[in-house]
Amino acid sequence: MDIGQITNLMRAGIMQVLILIAPVLLAALIVGLIVAIFQATTSIQEQTLTFLPKMITIFAMLALLGGWMFSALRDYTITLFRNIARM
């Protein structure tokens, strides 16, 4: 196993993590932005107001995309195990 294979494995793993987490983080970012705009317009400066909507959004995204995330991670793991013989 040379440095090129290790680099490719690390790059593929990092890309897989980014692909899996991007929809959840994007949804949390959008909800956080909406709540921040709401707080700025109404002058409500409650720190805990942003926590609940973000948490609900993250759980909803995980519930909606959990199957896709699991199958993508499963496919990546199967590919890794199949490539063990070549390494």
Side-chain angles (χ1 to χ4, degrees):
M1 191 161 170
D2 62 345
I3 194 74
Q5 288 177 331
I6 294 171
T7 304
N8 286 337
L9 282 175
M10 291 299 291
R11 182 179 301 131
I14 290 171
M15 286 303 296
Q16 189 69 29
V17 168
L18 290 176
I19 289 170
L20 290 176
I21 203 164
V24 177
L25 287 179
L26 187 64
L29 177 73
I30 291 171
V31 168
L33 182 64
I34 290 170
V35 170
I37 291 172
F38 174 74
Q39 282 182 324
T41 56
T42 59
S43 298
I44 299 174
Q45 297 303 322
E46 180 63 34
Q47 296 296 323
T48 59
L49 182 63
T50 62
F51 181 72
L52 188 64
K54 281 185 188 179
M55 189 174 69
I56 291 171
T57 302
I58 289 172
F59 286 150
M61 291 297 290
L62 288 175
L64 290 174
L65 299 176
W68 168 75
M69 289 177 169
F70 178 74
S71 65
L73 193 58
R74 182 195 64 211
D75 294 341
Y76 179 70
T77 305
I78 290 171
T79 303
L80 281 179
F81 281 120
R82 286 185 181 158
N83 289 336
I84 287 175
R86 284 189 262 158
M87 293 179 199

